[in-house]
Amino acid sequence: MPSMRHSYTVTVPEDPPATAFPFLKPDLRRKSSAVSGSMLVSTFVGLLINQAKNSKNTQGLVGLRNLGNTCFMNSILQCLSNTHDLRDYCLHNCHRQDLNNNSRANTALMEEFSKLTQTLWRSSGSDAVSPSEFKTQIQKYAPRFVGYNQQDAQEFLRFLLDGLHNDVNRVAIRPRVDMEDFDQLSDDEKGKMMWNKYLEREDSKIVDLFVGQLKSSLTCSDCGYCSTVFDPFWDLSLPIAKKSSGEVSLMDCVRLFTKEDVLDGDEKPTCYRCKSRRKCTKKFTVQKFPKILVLHLKRFSEARVRASKLSTFVSFPMRDLDLGEFASENSANAVYNLYAVSNHSGTTLGGHYTAYCRNPTLGEWYNFNDSRVTPMSSSQVRSSDAYVLFYELVTSSRV
């Protein structure tokens, strides 16, 4: 957010007359006046700095009221509020330009999201803000959030980003999907063509920030033919690795997600060259890394009888997460810094969501627990409650 500049005029008194300090010699009187003027300027500047600091310290440090089991929503909203580029997009009303460029009749979700973001960053007080108007709009877009049942934060994030994207999609009329044959192209050319095809239908500030591209390679065990498919992704759901030592790292989880799998038996796909079902190996790599990488730790099982939660501690880096080994191209920029975490404490039967966020203006970490916002040490960010991790791509402009 650009700093607000103000002009102030400070009048420093001229040398006082000799009668003002009759007991001082002329040279001492001059020194006294200089000291008085210097102290006045120093004091006034100090007051301005303190006032600026007090004003700055309240920016983005406002809680959200719990409307009844809405901690999952509050946690994600605070993570997005501290997403630097998305915050600025809302604060500067850039979404209005995108709204004017399309002909959609209903764009209320982005309007309410932007309004809420502006309130969090421009509020003059520290009282918690009610997100009731925003909740009204998100449940219109996604009726599953009607009512006050506890919901999954990652699912809420997916619905919210999809809704915001649809509101400000730069493509007013989506063209028909043409099934073109790109198999004669190199993988790099094919990936770029598939990405451009995606942008012909889905193109927004949300896509600019959050969407990357996965490359799936399928290799036939009989003839050795390798077919590739490129798909966009909004986040990556990572299985939690298990180790006998009990120490699991985020890199272990990413390696488990991208490891080569054997597709056999009922899973056998049809080989493009053999024209019949064959045993194949499948492997994921990242073709295009997004500016904002959202990593979801799969803590909740999908068991039909009874869901359970994994409370495994996953160690994740705060800075310089290098995912270069998972890139399709060696030259890809894949170094990220952590700036927000959505946490879930408790069990599947009853739990609570909070958010740990690094304020993009102050550079300090804060604990967002519904209405309460408290400072925290960066050493407290890693915990077994971490559920959704938000990373920002390191660039030369922002380290």
Side-chain angles (χ1 to χ4, degrees):
M1 182 175 178
S3 58
M4 299 178 65
R5 299 188 177 182
H6 303 276
S7 298
Y8 297 95
T9 303
V10 179
T11 304
V12 180
E14 299 176 355
D15 288 348
T19 55
F21 303 100
F23 52 87
L24 295 180
K25 295 180 181 180
D27 59 335
L28 294 180
R29 285 199 295 267
R30 284 193 294 272
K31 289 181 180 179
S32 175
S33 65
V35 170
S36 299
S38 175
M39 290 177 62
L40 177 61
V41 172
S42 177
T43 302
F44 190 73
V45 170
L47 289 173
L48 291 178
I49 292 175
N50 287 335
Q51 184 180 12
K53 283 184 177 180
N54 291 335
S55 172
K56 184 179 180 181
N57 285 347
T58 61
Q59 293 182 343
L61 303 180
V62 180
L64 291 168
R65 292 177 190 165
N66 193 316
L67 306 177
N69 286 327
T70 56
C71 57
F72 71 93
M73 179 178 76
N74 291 347
S75 172
I76 293 301
L77 287 174
Q78 293 290 10
C79 290
L80 294 181
S81 172
N82 286 277
T83 301
H84 187 281
D85 289 344
L86 181 60
R87 177 203 67 167
D88 286 358
Y89 180 74
C90 295
L91 290 184
H92 300 157
N93 286 317
C94 298
H95 66 285
R96 296 278 175 83
Q97 181 62 42
D98 288 337
L99 293 177
N100 292 336
N101 289 340
N102 62 46
S103 57
R104 291 174 181 79
N106 184 12
T107 55
L109 181 59
M110 175 54 86
E111 286 286 5
E112 285 301 331
F113 176 79
S114 297
K115 189 187 301 182
L116 182 60
T117 302
Q118 291 170 6
T119 302
L120 292 176
W121 281 91
R122 292 174 178 167
S123 177
S124 57
S126 58
D127 292 339
V129 174
S130 172
S132 57
E133 293 185 9
F134 168 82
K135 185 178 186 301
T136 298
Q137 295 305 324
I138 187 63
Q139 62 192 20
K140 285 182 179 178
Y141 178 78
R144 65 182 299 156
F145 298 113
V146 171
Y148 299 94
N149 294 326
Q150 181 63 274
Q151 302 279 355
D152 183 84
Q154 186 247 356
E155 290 183 1
F156 173 78
L157 174 64
R158 284 189 169 184
F159 276 98
L160 174 55
L161 291 181
D162 184 67
L164 296 178
H165 158 68
N166 285 330
D167 274 9
V168 294
N169 192 350
R170 301 176 185 119
V171 180
I173 301 176
R174 292 180 172 95
R176 294 178 55 186
V177 178
D178 295 327
M179 301 302 295
E180 298 183 35
D181 186 2
F182 296 133
D183 287 327
Q184 303 304 317
L185 302 176
S186 68
D187 283 350
D188 184 54
E189 292 174 324
K190 185 177 180 181
K192 290 178 181 177
M193 290 293 292
M194 293 300 293
W195 180 252
N196 290 334
K197 283 290 181 182
Y198 177 73
L199 293 182
E200 287 179 4
R201 295 175 53 83
E202 316 294 343
D203 184 17
S204 70
K205 182 64 176 181
I206 310 301
V207 170
D208 294 343
L209 294 178
F210 291 93
V211 181
Q213 187 183 41
L214 272 180
K215 174 184 176 181
S216 174
S217 301
L218 197 66
T219 305
C220 178
S221 298
D222 280 26
C223 70
Y225 178 78
C226 179
S227 61
T228 55
V229 176
F230 297 86
D231 293 306
F233 69 89
W234 292 70
D235 61 22
L236 296 179
S237 290
L238 306 179
I240 297 179
K242 296 180 181 180
K243 287 193 172 182
S244 57
S245 62
E247 294 184 5
V248 177
S249 72
L250 183 63
M251 292 295 281
D252 293 330
C253 298
V254 181
R255 290 189 183 105
L256 184 58
F257 173 79
T258 58
K259 80 176 183 66
E260 189 172 83
D261 285 332
V262 177
L263 304 181
D264 200 0
D266 293 339
E267 294 182 326
K268 275 197 260 188
T270 300
C271 173
Y272 181 83
R273 180 180 292 170
C274 297
K275 306 299 182 183
S276 60
R277 297 181 65 194
R278 300 293 190 193
K279 176 182 175 181
C280 294
T281 57
K282 183 177 182 180
K283 183 174 177 59
F284 285 121
T285 53
V286 181
Q287 182 73 13
K288 182 181 186 304
F289 286 91
K291 293 181 180 178
I292 303 299
L293 177 64
V294 179
L295 299 177
H296 163 233
L297 299 177
K298 298 176 70 174
R299 295 197 176 276
F300 299 98
S301 70
E302 300 175 357
R304 295 181 180 179
V305 180
R306 184 177 179 180
S308 60
K309 178 187 174 183
L310 288 175
S311 297
T312 307
F313 177 80
V314 179
S315 177
F316 49 87
M318 305 282 289
R319 298 182 62 84
D320 299 327
L321 170 65
D322 190 349
L323 299 178
E325 69 177 88
F326 310 106
S328 303
E329 303 295 329
N330 294 329
S331 61
N333 177 21
V335 179
Y336 287 87
N337 289 339
L338 183 78
Y339 71 90
V341 181
S342 176
N343 307 286
H344 181 273
S345 58
T347 67
T348 56
L349 300 178
H352 181 61
Y353 284 98
T354 60
Y356 298 158
C357 302
R358 182 178 181 270
N359 185 285
T361 302
L362 303 174
E364 303 294 336
W365 283 88
Y366 292 86
N367 180 352
F368 294 83
N369 187 354
D370 286 333
S371 297
R372 299 187 302 277
V373 181
T374 54
M376 64 182 298
S377 168
S378 59
S379 62
Q380 299 173 299
V381 173
R382 297 185 186 92
S383 77
S384 57
D385 292 337
Y387 184 49
V388 183
L389 308 175
F390 292 77
Y391 280 92
E392 182 180 31
L393 189 67
V394 176
T395 62
S396 57
S397 61
R398 188 182 307 129
V399 179

